[in-house]
Amino acid sequence: MDTAPLSRRDASETLQQGSVLLATAVRLRRGPRGLQIDDQTFAGLARYAENFRWVKFAGIALDSEKEEETSVTWLDVIDHPHADRIEFIALPHAYRISSFLRCYKRTRSVLGDHIRQVDHLCFTLGYLFGDWGAVAALEADAQGRKFAVWFDRVEHDVIARTLPTLNFRRRIKERATLPIMKRYHRYLIGRSALGLFQGRDTFNAYAEASSNPVCMYDVHTDEGDKISPEDLRIKTARAMSGAPLRILYAGRAAEMKGPEDWIASLAEAATRGVKFKARWLGDGPLLPRMQALLEKTGLTDRVKLMGHVADRETVLQAMRESDLFLFCHKTPESPRCLIESLVSGCPIVGYASPYPQDLLSLHGGGTLTPLDDPAELGLKIAELDQNRQTLAKDIQNAALSGMCFDEATLYLRRAELLKAFT
């Protein structure tokens, strides 16, 4: 992980210079008081506004009947503290081929006008049809403009691994378009002046295609979110006392998060005599299946499915109180929950991939096991339960690893890169 100190020039030199266009797949919703965005994007835009004098933010407008099955804390954009310096651009929701083709010419023209009006450009890519970030990249390239691309995850790999869960029609469509999408993204990466890749999995997948690749982290934690020295001391002492383990996960109950493996690993730990209480914070389509599996394995008295928790501070506090953050992610993505767990002094224990390996590369603070092996994961939980000195050390190292992730610093670095290369 790159932790080289960032240059911090005087605010008069670095902050609020230039304008930037961000074209993303973030959803915008039309509420009673106008457009709304999710709370995390709301916070991220505040950081962009600290570093640019003018921010244009393009997202995808949802009609009420098209709203997706996920719990989001929506905030009115007119209440943003920098609303006078942020312009929101609502692009059509057009993931069907027919609707995308109908909207293409008009939307590309709109994006072209906004591209001409700003100094710096950053486009999030992630799909094929309906991916307006990619269309913005095509238009910027046609105008001879330098631009950055941002990837949250390895989308073609995520889709390929989740194909069995899709309906027949969707499966046929994705199989046919995946090779095209993969080449399309690599082409746009090659045309960009800067490749910003979220986490080591994404960086490893795309860096070769970029002339200027950078591994980035998208976090929303600051100094106030980090576990305090006193709480860390209390937490370490509790771990050493031999008290039953407190185990947590926070995220969607969806196939790519491996919720069934999560329960299977807990069942394995239980058979090995581990005393624990576990919670899953988050909703999702697999919650009913998870509940049935808990009943089948006899874990209903030890594991609670809490559903959606809107308050971010409640989630962070749950992490600070937990001994282990257990995860079974099955796809190459870079979920923020692992960083938030480290910031909270909660060791991450789960399936290995380049992303968590990178997070732990400097100071440790977790244990990683082979993918798709919940029995091995359950064994590791048992080993940590039996060796409380190791667990206590992991708690301390997790907090140390979490010190590297500060929202203001990371957004400043991103702004500096955009100003330098686009």
Side-chain angles (χ1 to χ4, degrees):
M1 182 173 60
D2 178 12
T3 58
L6 299 175
S7 60
R8 285 188 173 274
R9 298 187 291 267
D10 290 339
S12 59
E13 293 183 69
T14 61
L15 301 184
Q16 298 183 6
Q17 280 190 350
S19 54
V20 64
L21 169 64
L22 308 167
T24 75
V26 170
R27 286 6 182 196
L28 299 172
R29 189 174 76 165
R30 302 186 191 281
R33 302 172 65 218
L35 289 177
Q36 298 176 320
I37 56 172
D38 67 274
D39 56 340
Q40 291 191 336
T41 303
F42 193 93
L45 284 171
R47 295 300 183 187
Y48 276 110
E50 290 172 357
N51 292 285
F52 294 93
R53 63 173 171 77
W54 185 258
V55 178
K56 288 176 176 279
F57 182 83
I60 295 176
L62 285 178
D63 296 327
S64 57
E65 66 270 17
K66 291 181 180 178
E67 290 190 14
E68 297 165 345
E69 294 180 2
T70 183
S71 295
V72 174
T73 300
W74 295 100
L75 299 176
D76 294 311
V77 303
I78 61 172
D79 292 333
H80 197 283
H82 303 287
D84 59 328
R85 294 191 294 108
I86 302 175
E87 179 182 356
F88 291 88
I89 305 157
L91 302 176
H93 186 283
Y95 285 104
R96 293 182 180 276
I97 298 174
S98 57
S99 58
F100 178 64
L101 293 177
R102 283 197 304 272
C103 300
Y104 180 87
K105 185 176 180 180
R106 181 178 70 255
T107 306
R108 178 162 175 170
S109 176
V110 168
L111 288 167
D113 290 341
H114 288 289
I115 287 169
R116 294 184 188 94
Q117 295 168 14
V118 297
D119 303 309
H120 307 286
L121 304 168
C122 184
F123 309 133
T124 300
L125 312 187
Y127 199 56
L128 186 58
F129 302 106
D131 189 345
W132 299 121
V135 173
L138 290 174
E139 176 60 24
D141 192 46
Q143 291 186 24
R145 294 290 306 276
K146 292 181 179 180
F147 61 92
V149 292
W150 173 280
F151 279 81
D152 281 315
R153 62 189 190 182
V154 188
E155 190 65 33
H156 65 267
D157 203 349
V158 171
I159 293 174
R161 295 191 193 193
T162 54
L163 278 175
T165 68
L166 304 178
N167 63 49
F168 179 74
R169 259 183 96 177
R170 177 83 184 276
R171 201 157 61 241
I172 295 300
K173 173 195 170 187
E174 299 296 0
R175 284 190 189 280
T177 58
L178 273 177
I180 301 171
M181 184 173 73
K182 187 174 180 179
R183 290 195 296 270
Y184 181 44
H185 288 169
R186 289 186 175 275
Y187 169 77
L188 292 175
I189 293 169
R191 301 298 296 174
S192 70
L194 175 65
L196 301 176
F197 304 116
Q198 155 79 347
R200 190 61 58 176
D201 289 76
T202 310
F203 180 86
N204 289 351
Y206 293 120
E208 187 180 359
S210 174
S211 61
N212 189 17
V214 180
C215 183
M216 298 295 295
Y217 292 92
D218 189 24
V219 302
H220 294 292
T221 53
D222 55 31
E223 289 296 324
D225 295 320
K226 295 172 181 176
I227 189 169
S228 70
E230 178 62 14
D231 285 346
L232 185 61
R233 185 193 65 77
I234 294 171
K235 183 171 184 174
T236 303
R238 182 187 178 280
M240 289 295 292
S241 74
L245 293 178
R246 294 173 177 171
I247 299 173
L248 182 73
Y249 181 76
R252 289 269 292 161
E255 201 75 42
M256 62 192 294
K257 304 298 184 182
E260 291 171 290
D261 283 22
W262 189 79
I263 293 174
S265 68
L266 291 173
E268 177 67 23
T271 64
R272 293 178 177 274
V274 179
K275 292 182 172 59
F276 65 84
K277 291 289 185 180
R279 290 182 291 168
W280 181 294
L281 309 184
D283 63 1
L286 296 190
L287 277 182
R289 197 188 306 177
M290 290 178 71
Q291 189 61 50
L293 191 54
L294 288 175
E295 293 169 4
K296 181 179 179 181
T297 54
L299 292 177
T300 52
D301 60 333
R302 300 209 217 180
V303 182
K304 301 302 178 186
L305 307 179
M306 309 302 293
H308 177 60
V309 178
D311 182 55
R312 179 171 169 274
E313 178 54 33
T314 299
V315 175
L316 291 174
Q317 185 59 33
M319 291 176 174
R320 296 184 199 112
E321 295 171 352
S322 298
D323 302 304
L324 301 176
F325 190 86
L326 182 67
F327 68 97
C328 299
H329 300 151
K330 291 178 170 288
T331 56
E333 55 169 339
S334 306
R336 283 189 292 265
C337 60
L338 298 190
I339 291 176
E340 292 171 345
S341 182
L342 293 174
V343 167
S344 305
C346 185
I348 59 175
V349 179
Y351 288 162
S353 75
Y355 176 64
Q357 287 167 345
D358 193 37
L359 297 182
L360 301 177
S361 61
L362 285 181
H363 304 295
T367 300
L368 304 176
T369 64
L371 184 69
D372 298 330
D373 192 346
E376 179 66 17
L377 191 52
L379 173 61
K380 292 300 180 184
I381 295 170
E383 290 176 353
L384 287 168
D385 180 54
Q386 293 161 11
N387 192 336
R388 292 305 182 100
Q389 191 169 12
T390 298
L391 175 59
K393 186 63 175 175
D394 279 350
I395 290 171
Q396 294 171 340
N397 287 343
L400 193 58
S401 290
M403 295 294 290
C404 301
F405 300 101
D406 171 75
E407 181 184 67
T409 301
L410 293 175
Y411 270 81
L412 172 61
R413 184 187 182 210
R414 192 184 310 178
E416 290 180 329
L417 288 168
L418 290 176
K419 291 174 183 180
F421 293 105
T422 71

